[in-house]
């Protein structure tokens, strides 16, 4: 005899923020709070809303999550439509089981179909996942168009990763700064 609850497979879901009921958003937020050991604030949560979510649900609830929002970045006289990855985490008991890769594959499919390029800011713990998936560390200057004009973000220059969308080439650091749109909290 099998136990139907424990035999349920992990289920990958994708949905836009507006399609997720408050209870599911609450589950996602609770998992992120726990996964980031309490270092996931309201601004971090807000940054991950308003776009696509990919999440894995197992018999214990939300096991992994990532979201993709649209941002703009300027570089060498061009404005890029950027699929920006936010709020990626895997519950502690499910890490190193491929769930982060499943979430990223779903988000990368959206990047390939809807954006000029993908971007994200990686933690030291997460950088290996992104590098293994073909994301490339941006080796140039990072700026933002802040309320008072352009602002240099030197602390982001060792954690910003880009991914080409389809066959599109990535911007070249030698051609100048990558300038992201402004937002409250962490800009990247």
């Amino acid at each position: 005899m099998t136990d139907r609850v424990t035999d349920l497979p992990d289920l990958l879901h994708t949905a836009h923020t507006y399609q997720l009921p408050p209870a599911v958003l609450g589950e996602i937020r609770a998992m992120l709070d726990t996964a980031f050991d309490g270092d996931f604030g309201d601004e971090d949560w807000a940054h991950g809303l308003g776009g696509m979510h990919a999440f894995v649900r197992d018999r214990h609830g939300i096991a992994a999550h990532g979201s993709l929002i649209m941002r703009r970045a300027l570089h060498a006289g061009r404005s890029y439509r950027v699929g920006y990855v936010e709020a990626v985490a895997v519950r502690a008991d499910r890490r190193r089981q491929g769930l982060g890769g499943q979430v990223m594959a779903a988000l990368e499919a959206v990047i390939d179909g809807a954006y000029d390029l993908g971007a994200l800011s990686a933690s030291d713990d997460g950088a290996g996942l992104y590098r293994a998936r073909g994301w490339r560390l941006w080796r140039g200057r990072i700026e933002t168009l802040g309320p008072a004009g352009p602002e240099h973000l030197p602390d982001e220059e060792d954690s910003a990763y880009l991914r080409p969308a389809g066959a599109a080439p990535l911007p070249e650091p030698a051609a100048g700064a990558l300038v992201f749109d402004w937002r409250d909290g962490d800009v990247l």
Side-chain angles (χ1 to χ4, degrees):
M1 175 185 263
T2 61
D3 179 351
R4 289 179 177 237
V5 173
T6 58
D7 290 340
L8 290 175
D10 297 335
L11 296 174
L12 175 68
H13 302 270
T14 57
H16 195 278
T17 300
Y18 86 90
Q19 295 173 305
L20 297 173
V24 172
L25 290 170
E27 284 182 79
I28 292 168
R29 173 69 194 262
M31 188 280 290
L32 292 168
D33 286 341
T34 301
F36 283 100
D37 294 323
D39 192 24
F40 189 82
D42 291 342
E43 287 174 337
D44 300 315
W45 176 241
H47 292 170
L49 299 176
M52 292 300 296
H53 298 259
F55 59 97
V56 175
R57 182 184 291 283
D58 68 9
R59 64 190 176 104
H60 298 293
I62 304 297
H65 174 270
S67 58
L68 186 71
I69 58 142
M70 191 185 116
R71 297 194 63 189
R72 286 286 180 177
L74 304 173
H75 178 70
R78 178 174 175 196
S79 175
Y80 289 88
R81 193 176 57 256
V82 177
Y84 199 85
V85 176
E86 290 283 1
V88 176
V90 177
R91 206 175 59 220
D93 65 317
R94 295 301 310 270
R95 291 181 184 150
R96 308 284 183 244
Q97 298 176 25
L99 299 184
Q102 288 180 38
V103 165
M104 288 305 297
L107 298 178
E108 289 163 357
V110 177
I111 290 169
D112 288 346
Y115 295 98
D116 297 322
L117 60 104
L120 57 82
S121 180
S123 67
D124 291 341
D125 290 338
L129 169 67
Y130 307 123
R131 282 192 306 268
R133 300 191 59 78
W135 290 74
R136 297 183 207 146
L137 181 64
W138 172 257
R139 300 213 180 264
R141 186 176 172 97
I142 297 280
E143 296 180 358
T144 186
L145 289 176
E151 294 180 29
H152 184 207
L153 301 172
D155 293 342
E156 300 296 341
E157 292 175 351
D158 61 350
S159 65
Y161 284 78
L162 301 181
R163 180 183 186 279
L170 287 177
E172 291 293 328
L178 188 59
V179 184
F180 283 90
D181 54 351
W182 174 259
R183 63 184 185 178
D184 291 333
D186 293 331
V187 175
L188 289 193

